[in-house]
Amino acid sequence: MAAKLVEQGIFLTFDEIRILLYGLGKTKIEGVWMPEKEFTEQDVLAAMHHLSKAGFIIARDDRFVMREDVQRIMEIAASPDDTEIWRPCGAQGPAYFLYYAGKNVVVSERFWRKKDTGRYALFGVEEFGRIRQEYSIRETDTEQEGDTDDNSGS
């Protein structure tokens, strides 16, 4: 399951998230604490360059337009119908912040290997439910395998 989340995600720095949200007229999202920051022109240009190079934004006429899936992710994260924290491996494992809107869910997590970066993936609610259920079954199987130690030698 974790592999599916990794494969389908996009990585965005906090600066890129702020710029994309600003483009949608939003200033914050739940689940990600981002310290206040005043942008320099260089900060904005660097973030826009990376977003463009990654194909997340596209130059159209006299402005930039977000790629459709990136825009949908940002819209859902900025204005969800509901949110949830999911810890599939318990308190010691990774935490995913879930944003629900209509028939979609955005799964986000902090990407610790790169400073101030998050990973975001868009799923249909039903598809994510199947992934979540599959993961729960795997975790149950793993726990049961650990319980089969032979302790009858007493």
Side-chain angles (χ1 to χ4, degrees):
M1 191 291 296
K4 287 184 181 182
L5 292 179
V6 170
E7 290 170 9
Q8 294 190 26
I10 61 169
F11 294 94
L12 296 169
T13 66
F14 291 174
D15 286 353
E16 292 165 345
I17 293 168
R18 286 183 184 101
I19 288 167
L20 292 172
L21 289 172
Y22 183 80
L24 294 173
K26 307 288 183 176
T27 57
K28 64 180 181 175
I29 60 173
E30 290 184 54
V32 178
W33 181 81
M34 296 183 285
E36 292 292 322
K37 179 177 180 178
E38 287 191 32
F39 284 99
T40 65
E41 185 176 337
Q42 186 61 32
D43 292 334
V44 173
L45 291 174
M48 296 289 283
H49 174 75
H50 179 262
L51 289 166
S52 178
K53 189 175 176 182
F56 297 153
I57 60 174
I58 299 136
R60 294 245 170 92
D61 301 321
D62 61 344
R63 61 190 177 105
F64 284 95
V65 177
M66 274 184 252
R67 196 173 73 194
E68 190 175 316
D69 61 328
V70 174
Q71 182 170 344
R72 187 71 184 131
I73 287 170
M74 289 293 101
E75 288 171 343
I76 291 170
S79 300
D81 297 332
D82 196 13
T83 61
E84 174 187 1
I85 296 173
W86 178 46
R87 294 181 176 271
C89 299
Q92 302 305 315
Y96 299 92
F97 200 87
L98 310 178
Y99 303 88
Y100 294 93
K103 295 182 179 184
N104 294 298
V105 60
V106 170
V107 179
S108 72
E109 69 173 313
R110 182 84 183 258
F111 186 67
W112 297 103
R113 286 183 249 159
K114 185 174 178 190
K115 185 179 179 187
D116 296 337
T117 300
R119 179 183 2 229
Y120 296 83
L122 177 64
F123 295 92
V125 170
E126 288 182 15
E127 176 189 10
F128 182 69
R130 287 189 298 273
I131 292 169
R132 195 172 185 169
Q133 183 178 12
E134 178 183 318
Y135 193 85
S136 296
I137 291 169
R138 285 186 191 163
E139 283 301 302
T140 302
D141 290 346
T142 303
E143 289 171 9
Q144 289 175 355
E145 287 173 12
D147 292 341
T148 60
D149 293 339
D150 186 6
N151 292 330
S152 60
S154 17

